Amino acid sequence: MRLSSLLAAVLAAAMSAGPAAAIEPTPVTPELIAAAEKEGLVVWYGSEDLQVVTAVAKAFEAKYPGILAKAERSGAERNFQRISQEYASNIHAVDVVTSSNPGPILYWKRNGMLAPFVAADLAKWPKGDRDPEGYYAVDCLTFAVAGYNTRQVKPEDAPKSYADLLDPKWKSRLVKAHPGYSGTIVTATLAISQRLGWDYLEKLGRQQVMQVQSAVDPPRKVAQGERAVMVDGAEASAFQLITGGAPLALVYPAEGTPAAPLNGVLMKEAPHPNAARLFISFLFSREGQQILVDYGFRSLHPDVREPPGRKPLSEIEVLRTDPEEQEKAGEEIKARYARYFGT
């Protein structure tokens, strides 16, 4: 399956109904750079891994030494709550947000909280992967993958499917992230419930699963040997650990693997709007996208280089969700999950 086709399907339902004039990409100009340098700061709330958020911020500062990039990493759900609290107190601190949950993106757009901006390199993106009105675009993609510790589990004994995780031998040996914290896991939970039914998740909840917050946590727990198998975890984080020599192998379940696109937006009340536009331009540039790919994310930029050894997308059975349906079902997903997993 081609990545462009995948993400086009994932985001197609999120586009606004009715005709809308296309927003043309905006190049980086000396005037924009000068205005951004005058502001001197950009604040980014990202839900990517801490390492990659930090790496992108540092690379931006190296390219534009007159501008400080303050990057703060947290789960998509926590970032949404934080921004809601800040705005309720009339605090407008954040400029740019990247979210692994489409719900906040749609909410912000619907309530007039976003500013349209299309970076120059987005002209290379499939139309289905950026809002035609210019309010958001997919800045990267990750999968919620399963996996196991290669020192604790032999390949022939490792689970090959979600159904395998219900085997009694995995009781008290599983780790899973939480949709109340992670946008990736909101997506994954909805995708799994649609494919296998909520009764599957209810049964999984009886397996005495170690519960962690972020999608970046299960790969770490498995790599450290605290649990033998992860139910879900950010593919990008797992790639980083494997590259570092961690005893971790990934599993793309036979029933399919949930895909989680992350979208980047410019807040309408951004205190540093020019620096924000320059930062978004960098994030979507080949240079910025290569950083994301090197850290384990998937990119839509046609000029990035994929590291060798990764499972090709054409070999992955992808589970997709409708963003608008996901937004509407968000609270129900969290409530049912808490009931089944006791947290």
Side-chain angles (χ1 to χ4, degrees):
M1 178 178 292
R2 293 173 57 240
L3 184 55
S4 59
S5 299
L6 159 65
L7 290 181
V10 170
L11 288 182
M15 295 184 180
S16 299
I23 303 297
E24 293 300 320
T26 301
V28 173
T29 63
E31 291 77 16
L32 177 60
I33 296 173
E37 290 176 339
K38 186 175 181 179
E39 293 171 349
L41 174 67
V42 60
V43 178
W44 172 28
Y45 293 176
S47 59
E48 296 87 349
D49 296 13
L50 177 60
Q51 285 181 296
V52 72
V53 167
T54 302
V56 172
K58 287 183 176 179
F60 175 80
E61 291 176 342
K63 189 176 183 69
Y64 303 105
I67 308 169
L68 174 66
K70 184 179 180 182
E72 300 189 20
R73 192 273 160 194
S74 191
E77 298 305 293
R78 289 290 186 268
N79 279 334
F80 179 63
Q81 293 168 6
R82 177 180 180 179
I83 293 170
S84 296
Q85 292 168 355
E86 288 177 347
Y87 273 47
S89 300
N90 201 32
I91 296 172
H92 302 114
V94 64
D95 297 300
V96 176
V97 183
T98 50
S99 175
S100 55
N101 185 354
I105 304 294
L106 298 178
Y107 174 86
W108 291 330
K109 179 183 176 182
R110 188 168 60 247
N111 287 278
M113 298 170 66
L114 302 180
F117 178 72
V118 179
D121 281 73
L122 283 174
K124 303 176 182 180
W125 258 237
K127 290 183 179 179
D129 302 318
R130 60 182 176 97
D131 178 37
E133 296 176 90
Y135 287 99
Y136 59 83
V138 174
D139 69 281
C140 62
L141 172 83
T142 192
F143 287 97
V145 295
Y148 61 94
N149 185 300
T150 57
R151 293 174 184 165
Q152 298 181 357
V153 181
K154 296 178 181 180
E156 58 269 27
D157 297 328
K160 306 298 190 300
S161 66
Y162 286 118
D164 289 346
L165 298 177
L166 300 181
D167 191 306
K169 71 179 180 181
W170 300 123
K171 196 166 188 175
S172 301
R173 302 183 71 191
L174 303 174
V175 60
K176 190 179 185 309
H178 199 291
Y181 179 89
S182 170
T184 295
I185 304 305
V186 173
T187 303
T189 303
L190 178 59
I192 292 171
S193 70
Q194 290 176 336
R195 185 62 180 262
L196 302 176
W198 277 104
D199 59 328
Y200 168 79
L201 288 163
E202 185 175 11
K203 293 175 184 176
L204 184 65
R206 300 181 192 134
Q207 288 286 71
Q208 297 179 2
V209 180
M210 173 189 278
Q211 192 69 64
V212 294
Q213 289 188 327
S214 172
V216 308
D217 292 331
R220 295 171 183 167
K221 296 295 184 182
V222 171
Q224 293 164 1
E226 294 186 46
R227 284 295 187 272
V229 173
M230 66 179 181
V231 178
D232 49 29
E235 181 192 48
S237 302
F239 281 150
Q240 293 173 36
L241 291 168
I242 292 170
T243 300
L248 178 64
L250 302 188
V251 174
Y252 297 83
E255 299 93 339
T257 305
L262 288 83
N263 286 273
V265 298
L266 168 64
M267 302 304 292
K268 184 177 181 180
E269 299 294 338
H272 316 99
N274 294 295
R277 288 173 171 82
L278 188 62
F279 182 81
I280 290 174
S281 295
F282 177 79
L283 179 64
F284 284 101
S285 70
R286 189 211 62 79
E287 183 178 358
Q289 289 290 298
Q290 190 64 56
I291 295 171
L292 293 169
V293 168
D294 290 344
Y295 273 80
F297 289 90
R298 311 274 186 160
S299 172
L300 290 171
H301 201 297
D303 300 331
V304 300
R305 302 180 306 277
E306 282 279 354
R310 293 183 183 174
K311 189 176 184 70
L313 283 166
S314 59
E315 298 179 9
I316 300 174
E317 178 68 24
V318 179
L319 297 183
R320 296 165 287 193
T321 61
D322 179 282
E324 290 186 346
E325 180 180 353
Q326 182 170 322
E327 182 192 19
K328 294 176 182 177
E331 293 308 312
E332 180 186 358
I333 291 170
K334 297 169 193 175
R336 296 188 72 164
Y337 187 93
R339 187 161 68 249
Y340 296 153
F341 288 86
T343 181

